Amino acid sequence: MRDWTKRSARRRLLCAASALWALSAGAALAQAMPFRIDAQPAAAGIRQFARQAGVQILVQSDAAQGKRTASVRGALPVDRALEQLLSGTGLTVISNDGKTIILAPPRTGLIRTGWSNAAAGVPAPAPEPVPPPEPEAPAIMDELIVTGTRSTSRTVTESMAPIDVISAAELTRSGKQSTRDLISTLVPSANTSNSGAGASFAIKTVSLRGLSADQTLVLVNGKRRHNTAILFVNGTTQNGQSPPDLDLIPSAAIERIEVLRDGASAQYGSDALAGVINVILKKSPQGGSLSALYGKTAEGDGETGQISGNLGLKLGEAGYLNLTTDVRITDPTDRGDKTLNTTQMYFPLNAQGRPVRVGTAGSTPDPREATANRHTSHPGSPQVQLFSLGYSAGSPITDDIDLYSFGTFSSRNTAAWLTFRNPNAANNNIAVNPDGYTPRLFLKDRDFQVALGAKGADLLGFDWDLSTTFSRDDVDYYENSLNASLGPASPTYFYIGALKFQEWTSNLDLTREVETGVFAAPLFVALGAEYRDDKFEIVAGEPASYINGGYVAPAGSPQAGVVFAGGSQGVTGFPPFSAGSFSRDNVSAYLNVEQKVTDKLEFALAGRFEHYSDFGNAKTFKLSSRYAILPGLAIRGTASTGFRAPSLQQQHYASSSTIGVIVPPATTTQLYPVQLLPPDNPAAIALGAKPLRPEKSVNYSIGVVAQPLPRMNVTLDVYQIKIDNRILQSGTLGPNAAVSNALASQGLNPQQAAFYYGNFADTKTRGVDVVVDYRTDLGDLGSVRWTLSANHTKNQFTRVVQPPPALAAAGIVYIDRVKIGDLTVGTPKDKIILGADWTLGKFDTNLRLTRYGQVIQRTALATNDETVSPKLIVDLDLSYAATDKITVSVGANNLLDAYPDSVRAANRGTPAFAYYNQYAPYGISGGFYYARVAARF
């Protein structure tokens, strides 16, 4: 007979994990917890038990094969529940250290400790001198996942689609203050957009596989997360989007994050073209944590303080209430010291020393030109004050029914500088601002999501989950600025208006296993229905923020005869014509089946039907398969269709702002007002706009999952995503006669450029993801977990909509070379991440090297295109366990203080407002250095 060590070296271990690893064996024994587990194959039953009990379990695959665990229902102490689960399987507990439980059939000479004997009240036999389980076993453990499948018994390497799991430990071993930044740091195909002007500065986005941020669906505990009310208007690569805001989910509340890198509209509905991010919240009924972080950039700005706390409480006999609070205050960064304003700022003076028009004969420069502050540009990250709360609660009300609820509540105030207006500019009034001014925009964001549900078993043989989720995001806009058309009476502080988005979603989900007696496992069936009601509202600003007061400068003034632009400068207030409330609803139904045909081959099929009140029906399908060629080697693949409904924001948002535009015959960027028109506005229709249709996609992927060496996992996935009718923000239209006439016909300022949203193109995205995970045991020097992940993505346009001949002749181009460049070369095609997590006693060192490939910023003139060179970003976190409960850390994000390439003078604007290229995915603020203290209790 082969001994345990030899057997375990050859056989694959099954594992299920959750967050409560810190429970001691004694505490676990005493804790009554709610269980709802059906009789099923042993591997699946043990995984469900581990997840619901909050423990980790290892068992040999041959020991579990062919066996079935018993059902476990109701609130039970963990030891009794495990004994009930294993009855009739012949499995028993042979080791329990409070973190990991090892199961095996009874064998002579094996040590039996922990729950089985303690539960029976029989003293454990004296230990015998036999080898313990092989220490390498944990290296090939695999986490239970719930994203991309409705089944509750699937692990990452068994999944039919690529999934990344980011654990709570990885969330804490980083100086990243946001969940969004952590995802883009750890997931190879995820990228963050760090650029934007106007309101777009407040929210940064994360995108998957080279697509847009709103083409990735975000879930919280498997329930749809609402979108932000803000529409990105003046960003770069992420224009025209209103994705969910991951920053408003407190990171200390997160148990883990599952990232499905595969189209999943057939499973989850609209928006899942690129994949799904599922945030799983903590559910621990006891213990907690408290952490504090302080840091700043290498330049000494961007000072950040963050305090987070998490507390688990017992609710009733077997329920739980987990609470989280997070407070973060961040000062702005300013990288404008190299972007000096070299323009003539003041009006020249005549012989009498009075200001006159620029170019007046005989005038001389104002002496203030020599002493003026030329540091007028302040690009960088904004000032942020963020307060977040989160909770997760649940309790059984009968042996078969559990109630649950979770939610987040956030308040965020954000402020950022816009572009400086010279004293002699047409959008300034020297009677109010003799030295010019820099508009400053303030956003007050109030956001919440609350879910309430019940789940149980034996509804016509199905496990069921009935839930409703209500969420809302309200954003109020304020600005320090000027409305020059109001003359000297202009206020300098404006209420610009508000955007509000509300979503109410209700779901019924049913799952069961059906014994067929034909295949290797029961047929898994999931079906359900969803009703969703969306509402978007625009609230008009105060009149002074949008009206044109018609001020005329008096004779003798250097501004006499100047036509002053109406509305507050920077971001103009929302006028009454754009205000209103817009809503829609949709109903959907889905069916998902999964079948393991043999021990090696399995299939899954999903289909979904949706009906939207504003554009009609959508049908999507998905076929997935996995085949185990050899032990430790499998191939997997999916083919799916998807869709993304046009957002209410894209359909109805309207605003005016002043941004950098090339105004012919000039060849450099200058500030110019631009009007965003909703597609149904008559001015937009005159420029070719049509009602928005949903985006439709076809997604193919094929991958390999391998374990070529003990303690090593390798996945490689190749994908192609074709999207038809892609919704894009047009390029800047005008300024020209056609645009001026269209705006004037609706009573809008004709001295503007314009843009709107349309189904302007078809695109194709191809790429490959590689992820390698390996653990090295260094003996007395500890152990190192190595990770290598890489992504290559290529986007291309397969069709671009052309304007009608009359508009083309007038100079209208919907998708210009700038817009094409943003999607094809505006983000890195290549991204490589190498990580090393070295654990040695009480020390933990986490080193991560990320290489971003080249980025190109296309401009209106090909000769002015910019390049962001490939860059290596180094992140380092050093932690020391001072006690069993307290850990202290120091670290750096961007340790080497790397910056992107500078922008050539022709692209810095007039006056200059950019130096470092904001297309860089790692931002323009340089290195951030921090210290952190974390306590567990």
Side-chain angles (χ1 to χ4, degrees):
M1 179 182 295
R2 289 172 292 180
D3 63 20
W4 170 274
T5 303
K6 292 180 180 178
R7 290 171 61 86
S8 61
R10 290 184 172 91
R11 301 192 183 275
R12 186 163 175 263
L13 299 179
L14 300 174
C15 160
S18 78
L20 305 181
W21 284 22
L23 286 173
S24 66
L29 282 168
Q31 176 66 48
M33 303 189 73
F35 291 95
R36 193 180 70 257
I37 303 173
D38 291 332
Q40 58 189 295
I46 291 169
R47 287 184 179 123
Q48 283 194 16
F49 182 90
R51 182 166 174 247
Q52 294 180 24
V55 296
Q56 178 174 283
I57 300 178
L58 301 178
V59 60
Q60 291 176 281
S61 58
D62 62 343
Q65 190 170 5
K67 296 181 173 63
R68 293 182 64 84
T69 50
S71 64
V72 182
R73 297 280 171 174
L76 296 169
V78 177
D79 59 338
R80 288 181 54 196
L82 182 60
E83 181 182 13
Q84 182 175 325
L85 179 85
L86 299 177
S87 61
T89 64
L91 298 174
T92 187
V93 177
I94 64 166
S95 176
N96 170 27
D97 63 1
K99 295 182 179 180
T100 302
I101 302 164
I102 298 178
L103 305 178
R107 297 183 185 275
T108 303
L110 286 179
I111 301 174
R112 297 190 182 186
T113 62
W115 294 349
S116 293
N117 291 333
V122 179
E128 298 180 26
V130 296
E134 182 180 322
E136 292 184 353
I140 58 173
M141 295 188 305
D142 207 357
E143 296 197 52
L144 189 74
I145 53 96
V146 297
T147 308
T149 176
R150 302 282 176 175
S151 173
T152 58
S153 60
R154 190 171 295 280
T155 61
V156 173
T157 55
E158 292 176 346
S159 171
M160 286 178 270
I163 296 175
D164 300 288
V165 178
I166 302 174
S167 66
E170 289 172 300
L171 290 170
T172 58
R173 286 198 304 267
S174 169
K176 305 293 184 185
Q177 289 97 60
S178 74
T179 303
R180 173 208 67 238
D181 288 341
L182 187 65
I183 292 173
S184 63
T185 298
L186 297 178
V187 178
S189 63
N191 279 300
T192 295
S193 173
N194 284 283
S195 60
S200 302
F201 73 81
I203 301 175
K204 307 307 181 202
T205 64
V206 62
S207 59
L208 293 179
R209 290 190 161 179
L211 299 187
S212 301
D214 57 2
Q215 291 166 334
T216 297
L217 177 64
V218 176
L219 307 174
V220 177
N221 286 348
K223 311 300 180 184
R224 177 181 286 267
R225 179 75 176 183
H226 62 286
N227 294 350
T228 176
I230 295 174
L231 183 72
F232 299 155
V233 177
N234 299 324
T236 52
T237 58
Q238 299 296 327
N239 265 336
Q241 302 168 38
S242 299
D245 190 346
L246 288 167
D247 281 357
L248 300 183
I249 304 174
S251 58
I254 298 174
E255 174 63 35
R256 69 182 188 278
I257 302 170
E258 298 177 355
V259 181
L260 169 64
R261 293 177 276 118
D262 193 46
S265 292
Q267 295 162 294
Y268 298 106
S270 177
D271 305 344
L273 277 65
V276 177
I277 297 173
N278 190 8
V279 179
I280 311 296
L281 302 181
K282 294 177 179 178
K283 301 179 179 64
S284 172
Q286 62 184 41
S289 63
L290 182 64
S291 66
L293 178 145
Y294 174 80
K296 61 175 60 177
T297 69
E299 293 291 326
D301 58 5
E303 189 173 15
T304 298
Q306 182 174 14
I307 297 177
S308 301
N310 176 261
L311 177 65
L313 300 171
K314 188 175 179 181
L315 193 63
E317 289 296 321
Y320 65 90
L321 173 62
N322 194 276
L323 302 172
T324 301
T325 183
D326 184 270
V327 178
R328 172 161 53 95
I329 299 177
T330 301
D331 285 342
T333 61
D334 183 353
R335 296 298 174 267
D337 56 319
K338 296 184 178 181
T339 315
L340 300 181
N341 187 346
T342 59
T343 63
Q344 180 179 333
M345 297 175 62
Y346 294 94
F347 289 105
L349 305 179
N350 61 16
Q352 290 75 39
R354 294 177 180 175
V356 294
R357 289 179 184 275
V358 175
T360 299
S363 62
T364 58
D366 190 311
R368 290 177 294 177
E369 295 283 356
T371 58
N373 177 16
R374 300 286 172 174
H375 180 184
T376 60
S377 175
H378 307 284
S381 58
Q383 181 178 2
V384 180
Q385 296 176 346
L386 175 63
F387 303 87
S388 297
L389 298 173
Y391 80 93
S392 182
S395 179
I397 57 174
T398 71
D399 288 345
D400 292 323
I401 299 178
D402 293 346
L403 291 180
Y404 65 88
S405 181
F406 61 86
T408 61
F409 304 84
S410 299
S411 172
R412 179 178 58 197
N413 297 333
T414 316
W417 298 103
L418 305 182
T419 307
F420 181 73
R421 274 63 171 168
N422 278 349
N424 60 10
N427 44 28
N428 179 43
N429 189 304
I430 58 175
V432 181
N433 295 303
D435 295 313
Y437 65 100
T438 302
R440 198 174 194 207
L441 187 63
F442 304 88
L443 300 185
K444 294 184 178 180
D445 198 337
R446 306 296 181 259
D447 181 280
F448 73 89
Q449 177 185 29
V450 174
L452 177 65
K455 55 186 176 181
D458 299 328
L459 178 63
L460 302 177
F462 286 87
D463 287 349
W464 57 272
D465 186 337
L466 178 64
S467 65
T468 188
T469 304
F470 184 77
S471 52
R472 186 177 177 94
D473 183 46
D474 292 357
V475 185
D476 288 291
Y477 289 61
Y478 301 85
E479 188 176 34
N480 276 129
S481 184
L482 178 75
N483 184 341
S485 72
L486 295 177
S490 171
T492 56
Y493 185 74
F494 302 87
Y495 173 64
I496 297 176
L499 300 178
K500 301 181 180 183
F501 182 73
Q502 176 180 298
E503 186 171 273
W504 193 349
T505 306
S506 299
N507 298 85
L508 173 63
D509 301 298
L510 306 172
T511 61
R512 69 172 296 178
E513 289 186 341
V514 179
E515 290 285 1
T516 63
V518 176
F519 300 113
L523 173 69
F524 176 79
V525 180
L527 66 157
E530 177 180 285
Y531 174 79
R532 189 166 84 248
D533 181 83
D534 294 342
K535 182 179 179 181
F536 174 59
E537 183 178 0
I538 303 175
V539 178
E542 62 177 293
S545 71
Y546 60 79
I547 64 172
N548 190 317
Y551 171 74
V552 177
S557 167
Q559 294 176 304
V562 172
V563 178
F564 292 98
S568 55
Q569 279 296 302
V571 178
T572 302
F574 299 121
F577 91 87
S578 69
S581 181
F582 316 96
S583 63
R584 72 169 176 214
D585 60 78
N586 84 293
V587 293
S588 62
Y590 73 88
L591 174 65
N592 180 198
V593 294
E594 298 180 17
Q595 178 65 67
K596 190 168 187 178
V597 180
T598 69
D599 289 339
K600 295 184 176 181
L601 179 64
E602 57 185 321
F603 291 95
L605 178 65
R608 191 179 190 96
F609 171 81
E610 301 221 13
H611 173 77
Y612 280 76
S613 60
D614 55 353
F615 67 80
N617 300 335
K619 300 175 183 177
T620 52
F621 303 92
K622 182 173 183 178
L623 174 65
S624 305
S625 182
R626 184 181 186 276
Y627 180 70
I629 303 172
L630 297 168
L633 178 64
I635 59 173
R636 62 190 180 189
T638 67
S640 64
T641 61
F643 81 102
R644 189 188 74 82
S647 69
L648 290 174
Q649 291 90 321
Q650 289 173 329
Q651 292 175 305
H652 302 289
Y653 181 84
S655 69
S656 180
S657 56
T658 304
I659 62 174
V661 174
I662 293 180
V663 182
T667 59
T668 59
T669 302
Q670 59 183 288
L671 292 176
Y672 197 80
V674 178
Q675 177 72 52
L676 173 62
L677 299 166
D680 60 355
N681 184 279
I685 294 173
L687 296 173
K690 297 179 180 179
L692 294 179
R693 293 170 290 161
E695 300 173 337
K696 295 185 178 181
S697 69
V698 178
N699 188 318
Y700 300 100
S701 70
I702 186 169
V704 176
V705 180
Q707 293 177 328
L709 297 172
R711 301 166 296 177
M712 176 180 283
N713 293 309
V714 179
T715 64
L716 184 150
D717 294 275
V718 180
Y719 56 88
Q720 174 179 284
I721 308 168
K722 296 182 68 176
I723 302 176
D724 292 340
N725 301 321
R726 189 156 179 176
I727 300 172
L728 299 172
Q729 180 177 300
S730 72
T732 303
L733 308 179
N736 58 37
V739 174
S740 295
N741 292 337
L743 294 173
S745 69
Q746 300 305 307
L748 299 173
N749 175 18
Q751 303 301 315
Q752 297 186 87
F755 43 70
Y756 63 88
Y757 296 102
N759 298 98
F760 285 128
D762 299 341
T763 63
K764 180 168 63 177
T765 301
R766 288 178 171 173
V768 57
D769 288 330
V770 179
V771 180
V772 181
D773 183 289
Y774 182 65
R775 187 179 296 274
T776 303
D777 186 357
L778 303 178
D780 292 341
L781 295 179
S783 64
V784 181
R785 183 193 176 196
W786 305 91
T787 56
L788 172 65
S789 57
N791 169 262
H792 173 80
T793 297
K794 181 180 180 180
N795 283 308
Q796 67 181 92
F797 283 78
T798 58
R799 181 181 69 95
V800 176
V801 174
Q802 301 300 323
L807 290 175
I812 299 297
V813 178
Y814 294 145
I815 301 299
D816 55 23
R817 71 182 312 272
V818 174
K819 290 300 178 184
I820 292 176
D822 285 348
L823 266 70
T824 57
V825 294
T827 57
K829 290 184 179 179
D830 305 289
K831 181 180 174 184
I832 302 172
I833 307 169
L834 175 62
D837 186 3
W838 178 26
T839 302
L840 175 61
K842 295 184 176 182
F843 293 91
D844 190 294
T845 300
N846 190 278
L847 175 66
R848 184 168 50 251
L849 310 177
T850 305
R851 182 191 183 275
Y852 293 95
Q854 177 180 273
V855 173
I856 297 176
Q857 176 190 355
R858 285 191 181 170
T859 65
L861 300 175
T863 54
N864 286 345
D865 285 357
E866 300 282 355
T867 298
V868 180
S869 303
K871 187 74 68 174
L872 181 68
I873 303 298
V874 180
D875 297 333
L876 179 65
D877 185 270
L878 305 173
S879 297
Y880 174 71
T883 71
D884 291 342
K885 303 293 185 181
I886 299 177
T887 301
V888 294
S889 308
V890 294
N893 298 328
N894 191 355
L895 176 68
L896 303 182
D897 195 30
Y899 283 88
D901 301 71
S902 61
V903 177
R904 66 181 69 191
N907 294 329
R908 293 180 187 174
T910 305
F913 51 82
Y915 182 79
Y916 293 113
N917 197 306
Q918 296 193 31
Y919 274 63
Y922 44 87
I924 65 169
S925 295
F928 177 80
Y929 307 90
Y930 63 87
R932 181 181 61 244
V933 178
R936 300 178 303 278
F937 51 87

